[in-house]
Amino acid sequence: MNVKARLTLMNFLQFFIWGSWLLTIGVYWFQNKQWSGTEFGVIFSTMGIASIFMPAITGIISDRYINAEKLYGTMHILASIVLFCLPMVDNPSTFFWVILLNMIFYMPTLSLSITVAYSALKNDKKDVVKHYPPIRIWGTIGFIAALWTVSLSGNEASANQFYIASGVSLILGIYAFTLPKCPPLADRENTKSFVDSLGLKAFALLKQKKFAVFFIFSMLLGAALQLTNAYGDTFLHDFKNVPAFKDLLAVKYPAIIMSISQISETLFILAIPFFLRRFGIKYVMLFSMLAWVLRFGLFAFGDPAGGLWMIILSCIIYGMAFDFFNISGSLFVETQVDEKMRGSAQGLFMMMVNGFGALFGSFASGMIIDHFFTFADQSKDWTNIWLSFAAYTLALAVVFPFIFKYKHNHAEETAIKALGH
């Protein structure tokens, strides 16, 4: 296989692992184990905890001490072992620590896979900007394939989803050692300080109002992402308890319905340059917030029968909600931050979205659902759950344009033109 094919397979397997359980773990938690919503919120916080510190630490290790592809493979093999043990856990407290250990191993592989891919493409004299996006798209295809695999095999509520993820993680871990070599390039004696390497100096940007507002909203929107990941599949599964809905395809295979969100994500990426050129970064961010309102609002009134169109439309809108803020946010950082601090600032952006945002969304949603929207028989008031989430994102959308002061500039136009090509 040539380099592009090898990296394509790496990306496919990378996200197949995540897709095998990320959206269906809620079904396993509530229907198989019948544990509480508050405890589930804590479980979903593990991604945020691991995202805060592990990618930076493994980045330092791969820069200074170990080949990135070897570290990448090692992390996947360790994650495979943990995932294999997960079904043996019989209480929520232990489950938290085991899934946290898995995320400590898995989350750094997201950035390590980029490091390996960029290094391999550059060494093969390939243009990264041109050749990496078509390779990365296979990661999303892998995520979708995993959802379909778990759903069609009837394992959405089964422990087998973790065994599937474990097996693929082991395969990828071994395969990683065959990838092109990506040795440490940093001079150990003249490298940046530990503080610089962790990107902590980017926190100085919070002294400026526009950056403080931007990063706070990044965290709050990151929370919204966790809500849809944690509860979307579980929401559809609960229709099995309604006789009129239990035999419908959307109820039998909810992960397949949810996979429309990932398909939409790939399509909306293509529309981003048009929206950015027409409206600018600030309003594309606002469109993302309004899309989250529609995402949750349509879920509130949808059902697998006559309201199936609302659920499908909600999944389509997810692409706008997710892509528009993530890409416009990264462009904002790219065009507004001094080039010496851009890497650290991009790291802070992702830390706010996937780290602190995930923590906030996970903890808050679990407690709110348990205290206000769970009936005595442990069933959920899904309509009001989704409406409360919609109200939350609507509040963000109303406040954002008034307090985020930002003007379109030449650097932004240049970045948008580059994105369009």
Side-chain angles (χ1 to χ4, degrees), residues 223-242:
L225 173 60
Q226 298 316 307
L227 300 178
T228 192
N229 281 343
Y231 301 106
D233 194 69
T234 305
F235 158 65
L236 289 177
H237 256 284
D238 276 3
F239 280 103
K240 286 184 176 180
N241 300 321
V242 182

Side-chain angles (χ1 to χ4, degrees), residues 71-344:
L71 181 60
Y72 177 71
T74 301
M75 300 299 272
H76 271 300
I77 291 171
L78 293 172
S80 171
I81 296 169
V82 176
L83 283 167
F84 188 84
C85 296
L86 200 56
M88 305 174 193
V89 178
D90 61 0
N91 68 84
S93 297
T94 305
F95 197 96
F96 166 80
W97 292 109
V98 176
I99 199 71
L100 175 60
L101 184 60
N102 171 66
M103 297 311 285
I104 284 173
F105 292 138
Y106 180 82
M107 293 309 293
T109 64
L110 296 173
S111 56
L112 284 170
S113 68
I114 296 174
T115 300
V116 171
Y118 282 12
S119 173
L121 288 172
K122 289 176 182 177
N123 290 336
D124 201 45
K125 311 300 182 185
K126 297 285 194 303
D127 182 348
V128 172
V129 174
K130 177 181 178 181
H131 291 282
Y132 181 69
I135 291 171
R136 171 58 184 83
I137 206 72
W138 280 93
T140 303
I141 294 171
F143 195 99
I144 295 167
L147 285 173
W148 282 59
T149 299
V150 171
S151 186
L152 292 174
S153 63
N155 286 311
E156 290 190 37
S158 165
N160 289 337
Q161 61 187 285
F162 303 115
Y163 291 130
I164 292 170
S166 174
V168 176
S169 186
L170 179 61
I171 291 170
L172 178 54
I174 296 171
Y175 172 69
F177 284 87
T178 71
L179 291 170
K181 296 186 183 302
C182 182
L185 298 177
D187 182 342
R188 297 184 195 178
E189 295 181 358
N190 298 305
T191 50
K192 297 181 290 184
S193 69
F194 190 73
V195 170
D196 287 338
S197 297
L198 289 178
L200 298 180
K201 284 194 173 181
F203 278 93
L205 293 170
L206 297 176
K207 295 178 182 178
Q208 301 178 47
K209 182 179 177 180
K210 69 175 180 181
F211 288 115
V213 171
F214 169 73
F215 285 120
I216 289 171
F217 273 88
S218 298
M219 181 187 73
L220 296 175
L221 262 292
L225 173 60
Q226 298 316 307
L227 300 178
T228 192
N229 281 343
Y231 301 106
D233 194 69
T234 305
F235 158 65
L236 289 177
H237 256 284
D238 276 3
F239 280 103
K240 286 184 176 180
N241 300 321
V242 182
F245 297 132
K246 67 177 183 179
D247 294 323
L248 297 176
L249 288 177
V251 180
K252 287 184 175 181
Y253 307 108
I256 292 178
I257 298 296
M258 295 302 295
S259 73
I260 297 172
S261 299
Q262 277 65 47
I263 296 171
S264 169
E265 184 185 329
T266 65
L267 298 177
F268 267 103
I269 288 176
L270 303 176
I272 286 175
F274 167 79
F275 279 89
L276 285 171
R277 284 194 296 267
R278 187 73 179 269
F279 301 102
I281 287 176
K282 177 177 178 177
Y283 286 100
V284 170
M285 290 182 188
L286 179 60
F287 294 157
S288 169
M289 296 174 194
L290 294 172
W292 280 116
V293 177
L294 288 173
R295 163 72 161 176
F296 297 135
L298 288 166
F299 266 174
F301 298 106
D303 64 62
L308 180 61
W309 69 271
M310 284 188 266
I311 293 174
I312 292 176
L313 182 57
S314 174
C315 291
I316 293 172
I317 288 171
Y318 171 86
M320 174 183 283
F322 180 81
D323 287 335
F324 275 31
F325 190 82
N326 278 273
I327 293 180
S328 61
S330 65
L331 280 175
F332 172 77
V333 172
E334 183 69 20
T335 58
Q336 298 298 307
V337 177
D338 183 88
E339 63 180 9
K340 295 180 181 178
M341 200 182 288
R342 282 177 189 165
S344 297

